[in-house]
Amino acid sequence: MRGLRGWRRPLLAFVAGLISALAFAPLGIFPALLLAMTVLMLLVDGAMAEQRRMRVAALAGWSFGFGQFLAGLYWVGYAFTVDAAAHAWQIPFVATLFPGFLALYPALACAVTAYFKRPDSAARCFMLAGCYALCEWLRGHLFTGFPWNLAAYAWGSVPEIMQSAAAIGAYGLTLLTLLFGASLADFATARRRAWILPTSMTVLFAALWIAGDARLASNPPTAVPGVQLRLVQPNIPQAEKLLPELQPRNWRRLLELSGAPAHAQPTIIVWPEAAPPPFLLQRLPEAVEQVGALIPGNKVLMTGTVRAAFAGSDINYFNSFFIFAHGGKLIGIYDKFHLVPFGEYLPLPGLLHALGLSKIVDMPDGFGEGPGPRTFAIPGAPPVGPLICYEIIFPDAVVGASRPGWIVNVTDDSWFGPSTGPYQHLLTARMRAIEEGLPIARDANTGISAIIDPLGRVMASFPLGRQGNVDGKLPQALPPTLYARMGDTTCILLLLICLLLGFLGPAAVKKSRF
């Protein structure tokens, strides 16, 4: 691998990137990512021997990232098929430009590693892992951020390892995972004591597994007394949601599923993102009366909905979340604050409209932004923190100033069809539960709806592409985790240590020409 030249190096990097995507949901083959990182480290080793080593390493890193994002995020193209007449022509561009742009982050990490390090030093593993993890953090924050399929999510099939996120978060676990994979490349070197780093990382992850297993065993599931959840999954295809002739049917389906008999009658009913027809709960009092009939006594109904806010002659639109109490009284409104670029708003609208591009959601001027995470008091249950759709994917950005007793995440994954996207989305919710020590009720239009306990265990769920309900008790929250108290501080300390160990090792032996 180190000796590959010309097109063979980026080709192998691309294949390794494709293989690494097997680690993410729904397959969850975590060795695929570790071995792919080993290959990438060896290819960067070979690039260090080239005259233009930064350029060669950057190309290897970009090819690796392109393969991973191409295979891992192919489902993004499904959204452009909902209104095929308007958006299908954009699919080839999305399929290449989006993963191609995201691949610039690993390209930068590999280029910096090749500039500072030489191939026979263990420090290069620390440098690559540190730079890659830093670039993953940047990917999650720059340009509104998109921290999807972080390396930490490769452990989705190993809940014991996932428990470490309660202390170091997804970014910290990403750093350790990348270092583990890169360190395995030392087994291919002839350097004395080259076995120390990969063996140490193996022991570390074995310790994380043992600690995670103990954490799971010492925290059996417990429920909040007197709270019974019902998550309604209407399974309405996205193309049928806005058709005027089908909106009465869609509304009846919500009401019928909400009122279906159950062993234990629900005290809280949740509908998914944008479940009612747009503006229905604002313009038809009869609809609010029907909602009130579903929640007599001390019961609550929560739903995602599209709403309009009037300011004089101006109308602003929001992707919102309504909380109704007894009699259909509206007691809380939450507006989505982390909007999807090209979906819910169009960046640089003047330029992109001139190029013929438009956002997927057909809403004049796009949606307005809410103020951020909030916590609402509700009758008969712990205070709740709503999140809409992909707001759940952002570590350390899901809880407001007042910590809730649980999180409800409503989403409409029908945009992504029968793909891997909904499975990956569910996994991110499980990771947020572990990080914050909070249970999460995830309600999706077409699935996968689930009740998740604060250790990321799925207590009840309903599969993708089916119509029905998830009935279950609300899990009890844990005390605030270390990550809930400190956020990414611990991860930043680990990152600084990793980069410091990388810089302290032997430097490159010759000047680089990019």
Side-chain angles (χ1 to χ4, degrees):
M1 293 183 191
R2 286 174 168 170
L4 291 177
R5 295 291 184 272
W7 56 269
R8 294 176 178 82
R9 182 183 288 116
L11 177 61
L12 179 57
F14 173 73
V15 173
L18 290 175
I19 293 173
S20 72
L22 299 175
F24 303 121
L27 297 178
I29 307 173
F30 71 87
L33 179 63
L34 298 178
L35 295 178
M37 277 301 301
T38 303
V39 172
L40 181 62
M41 184 74 264
L42 293 172
L43 294 176
V44 173
D45 284 348
M48 294 177 191
E50 301 282 349
Q51 184 177 15
R52 300 179 182 272
R53 63 179 182 273
M54 287 185 67
R55 181 181 302 179
V56 174
L59 179 58
W62 184 89
S63 301
F64 179 88
F66 184 69
Q68 183 182 99
F69 294 124
L70 184 67
L73 302 177
Y74 76 93
W75 49 264
V76 174
Y78 271 99
F80 293 81
T81 65
V82 173
D83 184 1
H87 300 290
W89 67 272
Q90 301 176 38
I91 293 176
F93 299 96
V94 173
T96 55
L97 294 180
F98 185 51
F101 170 76
L102 295 177
L104 293 175
Y105 291 103
L108 176 62
C110 292
V112 173
T113 300
Y115 179 79
F116 284 106
K117 296 290 102 183
R118 67 188 193 192
D120 58 349
S121 166
R124 80 205 193 285
C125 298
F126 289 100
M127 181 64 72
L128 179 61
C131 290
Y132 204 139
L134 177 59
C135 287
E136 288 291 82
W137 186 91
L138 293 174
R139 176 164 72 90
H141 291 79
L142 296 182
F143 311 111
T144 77
F146 191 68
W148 198 284
N149 280 358
L150 299 173
Y153 298 123
W155 300 103
S157 60
V158 191
E160 295 83 2
I161 298 293
M162 288 178 66
Q163 299 308 307
S164 61
I168 59 178
Y171 288 118
L173 183 54
T174 289
L175 170 63
L176 295 182
T177 302
L178 294 171
L179 181 57
F180 190 10
S183 72
L184 298 178
D186 270 4
F187 283 130
T189 67
R191 191 181 70 254
R192 291 181 58 195
R193 297 191 294 274
W195 55 270
I196 292 178
L197 179 57
T199 302
S200 299
M201 292 305 301
T202 302
V203 171
L204 172 61
F205 272 85
L208 291 179
W209 191 94
I210 294 171
D213 184 62
R215 186 172 191 259
L216 290 167
S218 61
N219 289 279
T222 57
V224 177
V227 179
Q228 184 74 19
L229 300 178
R230 166 162 289 182
L231 313 182
V232 175
Q233 183 170 302
N235 194 37
I236 300 171
Q238 189 57 227
E240 298 180 6
K241 292 190 70 173
L242 298 181
L243 294 176
E245 64 272 19
L246 293 181
Q247 289 183 6
R249 181 209 67 177
N250 299 342
W251 176 246
R252 286 194 304 272
R253 183 178 297 181
L254 287 170
L255 297 177
E256 290 168 359
L257 289 171
S258 301
H263 176 71
Q265 286 302 308
T267 60
I268 297 177
I269 299 171
V270 183
W271 293 349
E273 178 187 15
F279 319 117
L280 180 71
L281 297 174
Q282 287 184 289
R283 59 184 172 83
L284 281 184
E286 302 95 305
V288 177
E289 291 175 3
Q290 290 174 308
V291 166
L294 289 172
I295 49 174
N298 211 30
K299 297 182 179 180
V300 173
L301 185 143
M302 308 176 183
T303 180
T305 188
V306 176
R307 76 177 183 96
F310 300 89
S313 59
D314 295 330
I315 305 178
N316 298 313
Y317 300 97
F318 295 91
N319 189 353
S320 300
F321 180 91
F322 283 5
I323 304 175
F324 292 97
H326 173 54
K329 181 182 178 182
L330 184 61
I331 63 171
I333 297 177
Y334 167 82
D335 295 322
K336 186 177 182 181
F337 71 94
H338 216 134
L339 302 176
V340 181
F342 299 97
E344 294 169 317
Y345 77 98
L346 192 66
L348 303 173
L351 173 62
L352 296 181
H353 277 310
L355 296 175
L357 296 176
S358 61
K359 58 187 185 305
I360 298 174
V361 178
D362 187 17
M363 189 64 61
D365 299 322
F367 287 113
E369 293 183 17
R374 297 179 61 192
T375 299
F376 295 87
I378 56 174
V384 65
L387 293 171
I388 299 175
C389 192
Y390 96 143
E391 288 181 325
I392 197 71
I393 75 171
F394 295 92
D396 200 26
V398 297
V399 172
S402 176
R403 186 175 190 254
W406 58 301
I407 292 171
V408 59
N409 175 217
V410 295
T411 185
D412 186 358
D413 285 355
S414 65
W415 286 103
F416 308 120
S419 69
T420 59
Y423 296 91
Q424 294 168 4
H425 204 180
L426 172 64
L427 180 57
T428 63
R430 292 176 57 206
M431 187 69 81
R432 295 296 85 76
I434 295 169
E435 288 174 341
E436 301 293 340
L438 293 174
I440 295 177
R442 181 181 192 270
D443 191 17
N445 172 29
T446 54
I448 307 163
S449 300
I451 299 173
I452 304 166
D453 85 344
L455 283 85
R457 294 175 291 208
V458 176
M459 309 309 297
S461 66
F462 202 73
L464 181 66
R466 290 179 55 190
Q467 175 185 313
N469 295 319
V470 177
D471 290 332
K473 296 184 178 299
L474 173 63
Q476 185 78 51
L478 296 176
T481 63
L482 177 64
Y483 185 81
R485 297 193 300 269
M486 299 187 64
D488 286 326
T489 302
T490 306
C491 169
I492 292 172
L493 291 175
L494 287 175
L495 180 61
L496 291 176
I497 293 172
C498 188
L499 290 174
L500 180 62
L501 292 173
F503 277 110
L504 290 177
V509 296
K510 62 181 180 179
K511 296 289 183 180
S512 174
R513 293 176 59 194
F514 191 81

